[in-house]
Amino acid sequence: MQERTALEDQLTAIGRIEQELDDQITMIELGVADAEAALHKLKAEVARRELEALLSGEADANDSYLEVHAGAGGTESQDWASMLLRMYTRWAEQHGYKIEWIEETEGEAAGIKSATVQVKGRNAFGWLRTENGVHRLVRISPFDANARRHTSFASVNIYPVVDDRINVDIKEADVRVDTMRAGGAGGQHVNKTESAVRLTHIPTNIAVVCQNDRSQHRNRAQAWQMLRARLYERELKLREEKAAAEQAAKTDIGWGHQIRSYVLQPYQMVKDLRTGVQTSNTAAVLDGDLDQFMEAALAQKAFGTAPKDVEDVE
């Protein structure tokens, strides 16, 4: 039913776009002033629909896990990690996706050390996978009494939610299970019961944590699902690297490895270092306006270059 709904949406959109194209061409011939602007808006929608049609990978249509980890920079980077998490939740809300919180570890003074959320909706993984990597922030630190400029790093990890169509076989003997008390706010229950679960896959050293439920049993089931998803995402990356000889996306959270820079002082600029797409409207980006970066990254992956229509947006 999900696939049927998606196909019906695409067919309806094609019919509407064709009709609107004819209407706007007629309006241009009649000399209507706003028709050309409407045509440019329609062109942008067609470009996005074209990119969506490229989301045909095994897991592109699936829900997605999104992890944010603070990197080099102490309190600064932990605050930056919380800003990134807010940015992605705003993007998800603007596109009709639902957010489920899986795990969050608060920073000592501000922000977060790490957090994991599940983004639910069609093509969530297909779009978000372009955000995998290290993000760099340059700003005047609100935590520095001398108002000096600081550089902070945080990493974003994206992996698909594995559904029943995808089989991932994990030997239980290869997994270490640890239970702990859940962190963060949560009342007396958090302090008295070890409901949080951490699973560590020993051969790969991949670890996942789930603490969003009061039931250890449910947290354990969610953690196993997350571990299967992480191992599946790892296999996808190994395939891509073998086929395209690409460098692994996960690197050190620090200098020289960032995919995007966010500069708030001394000037305003967000620039993607992979595609060259940049904008001076930093407030809009931090409020979830990420489509131009995602679309350019998808186009680069599909066509080898970012679309020419992507320009700086004031």
Side-chain angles (χ1 to χ4, degrees):
M1 288 301 296
Q2 288 178 343
E3 291 177 1
R4 174 175 176 157
T5 301
L7 288 171
E8 287 177 346
D9 174 65
Q10 292 169 16
L11 290 172
T12 300
I14 290 171
R16 178 181 55 77
I17 288 170
E18 287 178 338
Q19 183 61 54
E20 191 169 340
L21 177 61
D22 289 339
D23 292 345
Q24 297 306 325
I25 289 175
T26 301
M27 293 294 184
I28 289 175
E29 292 172 348
L30 295 174
V32 177
D34 296 336
E36 190 171 343
L39 206 57
H40 280 292
K41 186 177 180 181
L42 188 64
K43 181 181 179 182
E45 181 183 351
V46 170
R48 182 176 176 85
R49 291 276 179 179
E50 182 182 12
L51 287 173
E52 273 192 338
L54 298 173
L55 300 178
S56 56
E58 290 178 87
D60 280 350
N62 289 22
D63 297 344
S64 179
Y65 290 115
L66 183 149
E67 291 181 354
V68 179
H69 296 273
T75 300
E76 264 294 313
S77 67
Q78 291 168 13
D79 187 54
W80 172 224
S82 68
M83 291 169 64
L84 278 176
L85 185 61
R86 177 188 177 276
M87 180 180 77
Y88 287 115
T89 55
R90 292 301 301 272
W91 174 86
E93 290 166 356
Q94 291 163 15
H95 289 78
Y97 292 120
K98 294 181 180 179
I99 298 288
E100 179 180 326
W101 294 79
I102 304 297
E103 178 271 337
E104 182 175 349
T105 303
E106 296 178 354
E108 287 90 354
I112 58 172
K113 292 181 179 179
S114 67
T116 303
V117 298
Q118 183 176 341
V119 183
K120 297 182 176 182
R122 183 168 179 82
N123 290 332
F125 175 68
W127 285 110
L128 283 171
R129 68 186 304 183
T130 62
E131 296 298 295
N132 210 52
V134 177
H135 298 247
R136 170 178 172 254
L137 173 70
V138 179
R139 66 171 177 175
I140 301 297
S141 172
F143 307 102
D144 189 333
N146 297 316
R148 291 173 294 189
R149 200 158 46 127
H150 285 242
T151 298
S152 309
F153 299 92
S155 70
V156 175
N157 299 330
I158 308 294
Y159 50 101
V161 175
V162 178
D163 56 26
D164 293 338
R165 296 173 300 164
I166 302 170
N167 181 39
V168 180
D169 186 27
I170 307 175
K171 296 180 181 178
E172 291 193 20
D174 289 341
V175 178
R176 186 176 70 248
V177 181
D178 299 305
T179 59
M180 68 205 90
R181 294 180 181 178
Q188 295 179 356
H189 166 79
V190 167
N191 297 323
K192 291 185 177 181
T193 65
E194 294 190 344
S195 59
V197 176
R198 177 190 288 116
L199 300 182
T200 305
H201 187 246
I202 298 170
T204 61
N205 204 32
I206 290 175
V208 298
V209 178
C210 184
Q211 62 178 30
N212 68 318
D213 201 286
R214 293 193 174 201
S215 165
Q216 185 187 111
H217 177 73
R218 284 192 287 269
N219 281 338
R220 187 187 296 262
Q222 176 77 68
W224 273 101
Q225 184 185 38
M226 292 168 63
L227 183 60
R228 284 194 294 271
R230 287 289 300 272
L231 290 173
Y232 175 69
E233 181 257 357
R234 178 177 180 271
E235 177 61 25
L236 286 180
K237 280 190 175 180
L238 290 175
R239 289 187 209 169
E240 288 181 1
E241 288 170 10
K242 185 176 180 181
E246 294 178 348
Q247 185 179 358
K250 292 183 181 177
T251 54
D252 295 334
I253 310 176
W255 286 103
H257 300 289
Q258 62 268 17
I259 64 167
R260 191 176 302 144
S261 287
Y262 306 71
V263 181
L264 305 185
Q265 277 97 15
Y267 55 89
Q268 303 270 315
M269 182 66 68
V270 179
K271 182 174 182 179
D272 195 289
L273 305 180
R274 302 163 300 175
T275 63
V277 174
Q278 63 184 42
T279 176
S280 57
N281 194 350
T282 56
V285 172
L286 293 174
D287 207 31
D289 185 9
L290 298 170
D291 287 354
Q292 59 187 313
F293 301 108
M294 293 181 175
E295 290 170 7
L298 278 175
Q300 185 180 68
K301 187 176 181 66
F303 307 120
T305 182
K308 295 181 180 178
D309 291 334
V310 177
E311 299 175 351
D312 182 19
V313 179
E314 292 291 341

